[in-house]
Amino acid sequence: MSTTPQISSRTLVLIVVSIAINMIGGQITSMVKLPIFLDSIGTLICALLGGPWVALFTGLLTNLLWGLISGPMAAAFAPVAMMIGLSAGLLARAGGFRSLIRVIGSGIIITLALMIVAVPIRTYLFGGATGSGADFFVAYFHAVGEGLIESVAITVLGANLADKILSAIIAWLLVRQLPQRTQRNFPAMAKVR
């Protein structure tokens, strides 16, 4: 008998669909240069339905695939996507998605967790500029006298607070609307009501 954990076909489909949701959301915001990302809604859905490890893996695969398609910058942010998935999954298991106020609180905590990883990557690998709509804010804060690290941290905090709260609310609402028979297919699903 094998002791290797098995991933169900439903979980694999969930991961693939979630990667597509992440990439579509990210592409739309990138094309219109919004200062938010919307590239982690699928990862958050995975966190709610599959748990922290499924969400972590989804975040990793999203950014690695995106790196192959669009360039290495997306792959460089894979640790950020992994942190989003892990923290969202742990918060979901702890009841962080049972009510709107908890979802908002979870969005704030996810933002604080990802900052630990995102600020050094954006600052030291890219000098604060990544080609996103948030670059304007980094440049502005830096121009008015903030150091580069502080400018990046303020921008990452502001952009991700709005983004992760909105993404968490969208994922929560989508999962809540799933039929009961679909929800039963995910035994690790967090309580969302």
Side-chain angles (χ1 to χ4, degrees):
M1 184 194 293
S2 173
T3 59
T4 306
Q6 299 294 318
I7 296 178
S8 73
S9 58
R10 287 183 182 99
T11 301
L12 289 174
V13 170
L14 172 65
I15 291 169
V16 170
V17 170
S18 295
I19 290 169
I21 291 170
N22 287 343
M23 294 181 82
I24 291 167
Q27 267 317 113
I28 290 170
T29 58
S30 177
M31 288 185 328
V32 295
K33 297 287 187 196
L34 292 176
I36 59 174
F37 312 105
L38 298 180
D39 60 355
S40 59
I41 295 170
T43 301
L44 295 170
I45 290 170
C46 274
L48 293 171
L49 293 175
W53 302 112
V54 173
L56 180 145
F57 189 63
T58 300
L60 171 65
L61 288 179
T62 298
N63 281 61
L64 292 179
L65 181 59
W66 219 330
L68 289 172
I69 294 170
S70 67
M73 186 177 299
F77 284 93
V80 177
M82 293 167 67
M83 177 64 84
I84 292 166
L86 179 63
S87 59
L90 293 173
L91 286 163
R93 282 197 175 161
F97 286 82
R98 288 186 181 179
S99 67
L100 180 58
I101 195 72
R102 287 183 181 206
V103 172
I104 292 168
S106 292
I108 294 167
I109 294 169
I110 292 165
T111 299
L112 296 174
L114 74 83
M115 283 185 67
I116 296 167
V117 182
V119 171
I121 292 172
R122 189 175 178 116
T123 302
Y124 298 112
L125 286 181
F126 300 106
T130 61
S132 73
D135 288 352
F136 167 80
F137 296 103
V138 173
Y140 172 78
F141 289 122
H142 198 53
V144 297
E146 295 292 335
L148 182 59
I149 293 173
E150 292 82 5
S151 299
V152 169
I154 292 167
T155 302
V156 168
L157 177 64
N160 279 287
L161 265 177
D163 178 66
K164 296 308 172 271
I165 290 171
L166 181 60
S167 295
I169 291 170
I170 292 169
W172 176 65
L173 290 172
L174 289 172
V175 170
R176 282 176 56 116
Q177 297 305 312
L178 289 174
Q180 288 294 323
R181 69 180 182 280
T182 303
Q183 291 180 13
R184 283 192 295 269
N185 288 321
F186 297 98
M189 181 180 163
K191 294 193 182 335
V192 292
R193 297 184 199 275

